[in-house]
């Protein structure tokens, strides 16, 4: 199992670290355009191997894609992150060019790979990878919902005064402050609906805190977060590498599912050795359906800015 992570910055390095610590991949290649940067991060991470007890080999490369040849899974984290006050959509100008070049280079050396897109605006970048590579739709996966759901569970546990392991919940829709659709009506504490414990007002607060989860951290950190994004990507990589058939909300190309077409947006999917094994259509309330449709409009508007 060979995994390439493009972008050895905050999210890329964190993702490589979590993949290595989970010890399921034989090799992780970190690639970055900044001279020596990926090699340095790879060496630093390899020096944690004896301390953290993993055998995954991590190597670095300065923009040499021949080192990524034969990768089973490639993760794209290259591009600029947002600064406080920015939206993810504002990153499109710079990141679209980077994601387009990177995905073409990856495919040249690993034509059968599965690609996980992380760079923002993520749903639009995932759509761009479809248009650029022509890979089958099961092989292109956008990571956003797994992170947003983890943030949702964090906020639910906080509101409930419960351990996070007691809580389950999912966020679908676009990976943007306005576009996220936290499914509060489906969220549970040990199979009991959270609405039995929390008022509608408190649940609405959880929803709003979840939607601005990334912006809250960007304000505190001065740049976007990396631990939870890295952990979320490593979960997706492991589900594919180990054929776990695990359900995550991911950005997938829709062709009629949820009444939506010709865009990538977060929906529940089953992840296994083929990437997206299945898109799962769950029953949504009228309000959730309306929110998802509005979210899709937002994603399509951003897609319209792409020069395809
Ligand atoms: N989808 C999500 O849930 C999610 C979560 C967090 C961050 N992000 C996004 O991930 C991206 C990376 O964030 P970060 O905090 O790691 O940023 P960062 O600046 O720390 O790292 C980005 C890295 O990409 C490299 N890079 C730039 N152009 C490149 C190219 N053409 N080829 C190879 N490498 C290149 C840079 O040198 C840098 O090291 C941002 O777009 C951010 O918005 C997405």
């Amino acid at each position: 199992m060979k995994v390439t992570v493009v972008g050895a910055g905050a999210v890329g390095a964190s993702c490589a670290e979590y993949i290595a610590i989970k010890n399921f991949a034989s090799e992780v290649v970190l690639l970055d355009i900044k001279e020596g940067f990926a090699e340095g991060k790879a060496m630093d991470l390899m020096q944690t191997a004896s301390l953290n007890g993993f055998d995954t080999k991590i190597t670095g490369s300065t923009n040499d894609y021949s080192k990524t040849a034969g990768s089973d899974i490639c993760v794209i984290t290259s591009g600029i992150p947002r600064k406080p006050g920015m939206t993810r959509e504002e990153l499109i100008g710079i990141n679209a060019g980077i994601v387009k070049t990177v995905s073409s280079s990856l495919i040249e050396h690993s034509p059968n790979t599965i690609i996980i897109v992380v760079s923002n605006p993520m749903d639009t970048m995932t759509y761009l990878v479809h248009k650029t590579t022509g890979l089958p739709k099961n092989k292109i996966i956008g990571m956003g919902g797994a992170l947003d759901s983890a943030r949702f569970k964090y906020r639910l546990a906080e509101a409930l005064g419960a351990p996070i392991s007691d809580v389950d919940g999912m966020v679908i829709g676009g990976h943007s402050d306005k576009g996220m659709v936290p499914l509060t009506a489906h969220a549970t504490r040990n199979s009991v609906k959270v609405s039995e414990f929390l008022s509608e007002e408190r649940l609405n607060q959880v929803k709003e805190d979840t939607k601005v989860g990334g912006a809250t951290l960007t304000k505190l950190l001065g740049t976007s977060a990396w631990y939870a994004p890295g952990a979320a990507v490593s979960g997706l990589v492991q589900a594919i590498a180990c054929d776990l058939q695990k359900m995550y909300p991911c950005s997938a190309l829709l062709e009629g599912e949820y009444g939506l077409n010709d865009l990538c947006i977060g929906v529940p999917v089953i992840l296994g050795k083929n990437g997206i094994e299945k898109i799962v259509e769950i029953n949504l309330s009228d309000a959730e359906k309306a929110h998802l449709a509005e979210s899709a409009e937002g994603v399509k508007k951003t897609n319209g800015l792409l020069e395809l």
Side-chain angles (χ1 to χ4, degrees):
M1 177 53 56
K2 179 171 175 175
V3 182
T4 285
V5 180
V6 181
V11 176
S14 167
C15 159
E17 180 176 15
Y18 284 117
I19 291 171
I21 285 177
K22 292 178 181 178
N23 211 16
F24 61 84
S26 44
E27 192 180 353
V28 174
V29 179
L30 264 176
L31 182 145
D32 202 284
I33 202 163
K34 223 189 291 174
E35 187 68 43
F37 191 59
E39 288 85 340
K41 288 275 179 112
M43 193 185 288
D44 193 10
L45 282 170
M46 276 310 282
Q47 291 169 2
T48 70
S50 62
L51 299 162
N52 284 331
F54 62 79
D55 295 315
T56 301
K57 187 179 162 205
I58 308 167
T59 55
S61 159
T62 303
N63 224 26
D64 177 1
Y65 281 85
S66 67
K67 302 270 172 58
T68 70
S71 292
D72 300 285
I73 304 170
C74 295
V75 180
I76 303 180
T77 77
S78 46
I80 54 164
R82 43 181 183 160
K83 294 265 173 270
M86 282 175 90
T87 65
R88 295 174 178 90
E89 289 79 356
E90 287 174 72
L91 306 174
I92 190 170
I94 294 180
N95 286 357
I98 294 175
V99 168
K100 199 170 179 179
T101 315
V102 166
S103 54
S104 304
S105 307
L106 286 171
I107 288 298
E108 214 175 289
H109 293 86
S110 306
N112 298 315
T113 194
I114 289 171
I115 295 185
I116 299 178
V117 184
V118 183
S119 309
N120 275 317
M122 182 278 295
D123 297 294
T124 295
M125 294 302 103
T126 307
Y127 185 72
L128 176 62
V129 172
H130 275 288
K131 294 288 178 195
T132 308
T133 64
L135 275 175
K137 64 179 226 165
N138 58 303
K139 290 193 159 194
I140 301 173
I141 303 155
M143 193 297 288
L147 169 66
D148 302 331
S149 300
R151 288 176 172 160
F152 183 37
K153 287 181 243 188
Y154 165 80
R155 289 300 185 187
L156 280 170
E158 180 184 58
L160 289 161
I164 291 182
S165 57
D166 251 17
V167 175
D168 201 9
M170 189 160 58
V171 177
I172 62 169
H175 180 60
S176 66
D177 296 357
K178 286 197 182 129
M180 282 179 217
V181 185
L183 299 177
T184 44
H186 296 255
T188 59
R189 176 177 188 177
N190 276 354
S191 80
V192 181
K193 290 197 167 174
V194 292
S195 53
E196 293 209 17
F197 306 108
L198 298 172
S199 66
E200 200 182 330
E201 191 188 5
R202 188 67 184 92
L203 265 175
N204 278 335
Q205 187 60 50
V206 166
K207 215 182 204 175
E208 291 314 308
D209 289 345
T210 301
K211 287 164 72 177
V212 295
T216 304
L217 284 161
T218 302
K219 196 170 166 204
L220 290 167
L221 296 166
T223 183
S224 75
W226 55 91
Y227 294 118
V233 178
S234 77
L236 267 49
V237 172
Q238 186 174 23
I240 298 164
C242 304
D243 193 23
L244 296 181
Q245 304 291 317
K246 208 168 149 67
M247 184 160 80
Y248 278 106
C250 291
S251 191
L253 185 72
L254 299 188
E255 291 171 318
E257 298 89 348
Y258 291 94
L260 300 171
N261 267 299
D262 194 33
L263 85 166
C264 296
I265 194 165
V267 289
V269 304
I270 304 296
L271 292 183
K273 63 177 185 309
N274 300 305
I276 296 176
E277 303 282 350
K278 190 180 175 211
I279 293 174
V280 182
E281 287 198 74
I282 57 170
N283 283 325
L284 298 177
S285 67
D286 288 345
E288 288 163 343
K289 274 184 203 156
H291 193 174
L292 182 61
E294 194 186 310
S295 178
E297 283 303 311
V299 172
K300 282 212 164 179
K301 203 170 151 201
T302 311
N303 290 353
L305 301 172
L306 291 172
E307 287 165 18
L308 294 170

